[in-house]
Amino acid sequence: MKETRQGLLFGLGAYVLWGVISLFWKQLSGVNPYAIFSYRILWTLITMLLYMFLSRRQTAYKKQLSELLADKKARRNIILASFLIAINWLSYIYAVTNQQATQASLGYYVMPLVSVLLSLIFLRERLDRWTVCSVLLAAFGVVILILNTGRAPFITFLLAFSFAFYGLIKKNIKLSSDTAMLVEAAVIAPLALVYLFFFSNENLFDYSLWENILLAASGFITAVPLLLFAEGVKRAPLNLIGFIQYINPTMQLLIAVLIFGEAITLGELRGFIFIWLAVFIFITGQILMLRKSR
């Protein structure tokens, strides 16, 4: 029980940090989102390299990397996972810096339901009636959003599907969380450098001292919640960690409305109600099944 409590605390810490991270990216609204993303990749790579040396686990890293290089399928999976998480990060940064934080929060409400759908399609897992009901309600909510707003919530879909597919692929990757993060950042880093050197109209001297400090801190801001989440999953059952994941989008939504001043239209609210109801039914079903299994 002690280890489970520790795992839940790690998981809670990760979700709270992810919940307030929009406040961090909002401070960089004056910087091009593509530049923010590029510097985030580079600083994450630097942060993980420092972590590798400070943790004195170079031998373990070398062993895992050797095994990765020897496995063609694993290499393909890690490259695909790297691009998916890159799409997710870029989409989120773009949303927050362009007054679309509400859509971003909705994406993380929908994401667990998309993950369930992917497990049904690709892993042949069976769905209980609670989950079927929640998926159908969420789909109906998205349809309501499209009909009432006249446009598909593109950012919502992109965030939800990119992270859900990322999670699906990561199930088949046997790297530790810190090694995987290092490799993923290394895979995307060349593209980030190409953008900064050949396509960006700005450089670090065009930003204020505060913006440069924030860009340098972005690697730490990226790494900490991911490592906390990984440690939480190791110590506590995944279904318990899953119950508290909705803290993240709820905090994001409150920040978008109360701090960023983003408005929710009546049409969006109608769609959100169905999605929130789907989330409620999904969590209720998970709790009931957990009690039954005990």
Side-chain angles (χ1 to χ4, degrees), residues 107-294:
Y108 290 107
Y109 274 117
V110 175
M111 186 272 294
L113 301 176
V114 176
S115 294
V116 168
L117 198 59
L118 294 180
S119 70
L120 174 66
I121 297 171
F122 294 99
L123 303 179
R124 305 297 182 185
E125 295 180 0
R126 298 180 63 185
L127 302 185
D128 60 273
R129 63 180 183 275
W130 295 94
T131 304
V132 171
C133 183
S134 63
V135 169
L136 291 175
L137 275 173
F140 187 69
V142 171
V143 172
I144 294 294
L145 277 173
I146 295 172
L147 292 177
N148 282 276
T149 62
R151 57 186 173 82
F154 181 69
I155 291 293
T156 296
F157 287 151
L158 199 56
L159 285 168
F161 277 88
S162 61
F163 202 82
F165 271 105
Y166 173 75
L168 179 67
I169 291 171
K170 291 280 282 186
K171 286 180 70 69
N172 297 315
I173 295 176
K174 297 180 180 180
L175 296 175
S176 64
S177 56
D178 48 353
T179 305
M181 199 188 317
L182 174 63
V183 173
E184 288 163 11
V187 168
I188 304 299
L191 296 179
L193 289 171
V194 168
Y195 172 79
L196 292 173
F197 280 111
F198 299 104
F199 296 99
S200 177
N201 296 320
E202 305 167 344
N203 58 57
L204 289 175
F205 296 105
D206 295 319
Y207 308 137
S208 67
L209 176 61
W210 177 239
E211 288 171 334
N212 275 296
I213 291 173
L214 291 177
L215 289 172
S218 64
F220 179 80
I221 293 295
T222 297
V224 169
L226 281 171
L227 293 173
L228 284 175
F229 177 76
E231 290 302 313
V233 170
K234 289 178 184 177
R235 288 170 169 79
L238 188 58
N239 49 23
L240 291 179
I241 293 290
F243 291 158
I244 60 174
Q245 69 182 315
Y246 289 104
I247 292 172
N248 171 15
T250 300
M251 293 179 68
Q252 289 184 28
L253 182 62
L254 290 173
I255 289 172
V257 175
L258 300 178
I259 298 179
F260 298 162
E262 294 187 15
I264 299 178
T265 66
L266 182 59
E268 288 175 328
L269 184 59
R270 288 169 180 163
F272 284 176
I273 287 172
F274 281 98
I275 292 169
W276 289 329
L277 181 59
V279 169
F280 175 76
I281 290 174
F282 178 70
I283 293 176
T284 301
Q286 294 297 309
I287 292 173
L288 291 175
M289 285 193 298
L290 180 62
R291 288 180 176 177
K292 186 178 179 180
S293 66
R294 286 181 175 177

